[in-house]
Amino acid sequence: MNIRHYIGKDPWDSFVAASAASHCYHQIGWKRVIEKSFGHRTYYLLAEDGAGKILGILPLVHLASVLFGNFIVSMPYFNYGGICADTPEAGRELFKEAVRIAEKEGAEHIEMRHTRPTDLDVKEKRAKVSMKLSLPGTSGELWKSFPSKLRNQINRPLKESMLARVGGHEELDDFYKVFSANMRDLGTPVYPKDFFRNILNEFPDTAWIITVRLKNGGPAAAGFFTGFKDTVEIPWASSLRSCNKYAPNMLLYWTGLKTAAGKGYKVFDFGRSTPGEGTYRFKEQWGAVPAQLYWHYWVRNNGPMPELNPKNPRYRLGIKLWKKLPVGLTRIMGPMIVRNLP
């Protein structure tokens, strides 16, 4: 078996499309998105047999900063990634090469975001689940499946004359206005707008934006959607706190579900959550059910698993201060910080 780095002529996406273990973020287009948006070095590994047939792939992104450390992730910024292989042997060989790269680069750890257990000798976290809803053939069937309380919540913004709009680049400014304000309120640095623009450019047929607008036309909520195989995911969704009393997020998600069903998708992925927390309960009310996520770690010298997340006490003061900054300033400073947060 041969392990080597991806070159442009390799049929990477053909393997991803055919593999039962692949996810959206295994597609080669995300390599270009990350490199253009953040400037990170990427290592896209493939395993092949003696005849040159691809048996497995592993996308890796190297993040290194003074503030947050030196590490490798598959995939940063997204819910899924990790090893995608047809055989256990291919997976093991890809992992060995990833460790070799990490040691060469002086990385403190490798993080792989899997949806299943692994036979690798690595540490494991099971703190998160993805929330998924099976979609019927039509939006009408889906509507009928909702309890009356949920239907009333969806109708609430409609009674306020709110409207939802599905689009692409023309919705980007309003999406980013809502998203950046919400990230500031959460105390989280915001991604650069070019990150989302690059996604729309790379995946024009399978990425879109939905905005929910007030009666006066201003945005109240917005979400970014990506489709792959039979699944639609909403990795980023936000609403303005000043509008939350009108529940624009309910219209946002309902429009997302209708759009997904109309495009023929079979599963709606609400994204990852921590069981029992508020976002988990919000997604659960739509009928979504949890699917366990497995985040696997190789750690240099067998040290403790990293905790690069908002709950880490190390970042508590920074989050508190960030919430007090003007939104405009966070749009300038945020992208310089968040590029190094996985």
Side-chain angles (χ1 to χ4, degrees):
M1 183 177 298
N2 181 42
I3 306 295
R4 63 177 179 83
H5 292 252
Y6 165 83
I7 57 176
K9 66 180 181 180
D10 291 321
W12 180 286
D13 274 348
S14 295
F15 175 82
V16 171
S19 174
S22 65
H23 291 280
C24 174
Y25 307 110
H26 283 118
Q27 295 175 98
I28 201 65
W30 296 100
K31 179 180 190 293
R32 294 186 286 269
V33 167
I34 288 174
E35 291 172 348
K36 289 178 183 178
S37 304
F38 303 105
H40 293 311
R41 185 171 185 179
T42 60
Y43 300 88
Y44 271 54
L45 307 178
L46 56 86
E48 59 186 8
D49 64 14
K53 178 185 177 182
I54 298 177
L55 300 177
I57 59 169
L58 175 56
L60 300 168
V61 181
H62 185 197
L63 293 81
S65 73
V66 174
L67 283 177
F68 302 107
N70 180 352
F71 48 92
I72 292 174
V73 186
S74 180
M75 292 280 286
Y77 317 121
F78 311 123
N79 292 329
Y80 309 111
I83 296 168
C84 175
D86 288 344
T87 67
E89 182 188 5
R92 288 191 292 270
E93 292 303 314
L94 287 164
F95 173 68
K96 288 179 184 177
E97 180 63 15
V99 171
R100 190 194 68 78
I101 292 171
E103 290 176 334
K104 177 184 175 183
E105 297 294 346
E108 297 150 12
H109 68 265
I110 302 171
E111 177 181 279
M112 295 176 291
R113 300 178 177 182
H114 292 131
T115 58
R116 61 189 69 184
T118 180
D119 62 355
L120 300 173
D121 184 19
V122 291
K123 298 175 185 289
E124 181 181 88
K125 285 183 184 178
R126 298 191 184 188
K128 299 287 186 178
V129 297
S130 59
M131 299 295 287
K132 296 183 178 182
L133 173 67
S134 296
L135 297 174
T138 67
S139 59
E141 292 175 79
L142 183 61
W143 180 261
K144 290 178 182 178
S145 73
F146 292 156
S148 58
K149 179 181 178 180
L150 181 59
R151 292 198 296 264
N152 289 336
Q153 289 176 306
I154 296 168
N155 283 327
R156 175 74 173 94
L158 293 173
K159 291 178 181 179
E160 299 295 331
S161 300
M162 290 187 178
L163 297 173
R165 194 160 73 184
V166 182
H169 285 280
E170 71 277 11
E171 301 298 324
L172 180 56
D173 286 348
D174 282 337
F175 163 80
Y176 197 70
K177 178 180 179 180
V178 175
F179 181 71
S180 57
N182 187 56
M183 290 299 101
R184 189 283 308 272
D185 291 343
L186 293 173
T188 304
V190 68
Y191 297 124
K193 187 189 291 187
D194 277 348
F195 173 54
F196 302 104
R197 181 178 289 113
N198 290 334
I199 296 172
L200 292 170
N201 287 339
E202 192 66 45
F203 301 100
D205 299 324
T206 55
W208 63 91
I209 293 171
I210 297 177
T211 55
V212 174
R213 299 175 177 280
L214 298 164
K215 187 176 182 180
N216 65 10
F224 200 103
F225 297 76
T226 60
F228 179 67
K229 293 185 177 178
D230 67 348
T231 300
V232 165
E233 182 185 359
I234 178 170
W236 304 285
S238 298
S239 62
L240 296 179
R241 288 192 175 182
S242 60
C243 301
N244 281 350
K245 60 184 177 181
Y246 303 122
N249 58 330
M250 302 303 293
L251 181 56
L252 169 66
Y253 277 86
W254 167 238
T255 305
L257 288 163
K258 284 197 304 181
T259 302
K263 290 177 178 285
Y265 291 100
K266 302 302 181 185
V267 178
F268 191 90
D269 186 342
F270 285 81
R272 74 175 187 257
S273 295
T274 301
E277 292 193 349
T279 57
Y280 178 94
R281 293 192 295 271
F282 172 82
K283 298 165 185 177
E284 192 176 37
Q285 71 179 328
W286 295 90
V289 296
Q292 184 65 56
L293 296 177
Y294 303 85
W295 287 23
H296 294 115
Y297 296 85
W298 169 86
V299 185
R300 179 179 292 278
N301 298 324
N302 201 34
M305 287 186 286
E307 294 294 343
L308 292 172
N309 62 71
K311 293 184 178 181
N312 188 332
R314 175 181 173 187
Y315 306 121
R316 191 169 295 156
L317 178 59
I319 292 170
K320 184 177 180 179
L321 293 174
W322 194 264
K323 291 180 179 181
K324 299 181 181 296
L325 295 177
V327 174
L329 183 58
T330 65
R331 290 173 184 163
I332 297 171
M333 297 174 58
M336 293 185 285
I337 299 172
V338 77
R339 68 182 298 273
N340 295 305
L341 288 172

